Amino acid sequence: MSTTVLRSLGSSYQDIREWVAAGQLVGHPRKGWWELPDTEAEVVRAVHAGGVLTCVSALARLGAYRPFGDTELHVRARRGPIVARGVRSCSPGRAPAPIVAVDEPLVAVRAAIRCLDVENAVAVLDSMVRNRIATTEDLRQELGGGSRGRDLLRRCSRADSGTESLVRVRLRGLNLKVRSQVCIDGVGRVDLVVGERLVIEVDSRAHHTDLANYRSDRVRDRRLAELGYRELRVA
């Protein structure tokens, strides 16, 4: 938490000194910033690096999709890029100077669409709506003013997982007709239908190893075959 925020909440410098003495503020990761006892390590790292947590690092804390293999800390600086090992400097474009240690979702997502490729950016947007981090209208108002944002929003759809979003965007990029979350009589909802007869189900490892889900899937598989569909499972 920054001194600016503490002062705006009515705290005096004497209050801050007393909190430090009492152990309620336990660190000083950067001049003008303070660490609370339960502050997450990556938030402290972001402030120590000279910025605040943003982009997918901020959004993932709320349940948004994070690209596979991404282990970098996504950080926004007050001015200029940050150069530090394991840190990716991200910018949301025009935004207020950071005074809290983690960017708000609608600031962080502006950094994300500038940082990520199309497939992963769409997966992040889909997951924000799925996990109620933001509504579709929130995203449209925040991102719809630029061509990049409008293009990504046009590619968004309902999805049960980030992997499903990736598969859908990639297939549509091949000019294939793909429908998301389709209800089929006698089967229920399936993840994707490509063309008229190819069903693609995107399953997690946990889904595969659950016996009840396995048996249910076999019943669905038989019913899809009876209806003339072909099925492909992607893990």
Side-chain angles (χ1 to χ4, degrees), residues 50 54 95 103-104 120 122 164 166 181 195 212:
T54 194
D103 269 338
E104 294 293 327
N120 282 296
V122 171
E164 183 182 329
L166 297 179
Q181 298 294 307

Side-chain angles (χ1 to χ4, degrees), residues 196-215:
E196 298 302 324
R197 291 296 170 184
L198 176 60
V199 169
I200 297 182
E201 295 277 41
V202 184
D203 299 327
S204 68
R205 183 179 299 274
H207 181 100
H208 277 304
T209 55
D210 184 276
L211 181 59
N213 282 332
Y214 178 86
R215 289 173 174 166

Side-chain angles (χ1 to χ4, degrees), residues 181-193:
Q181 298 294 307
V182 179
C183 285
I184 298 175
D185 289 343
V187 176
R189 193 175 68 191
V190 299
D191 292 337
L192 302 167
V193 176

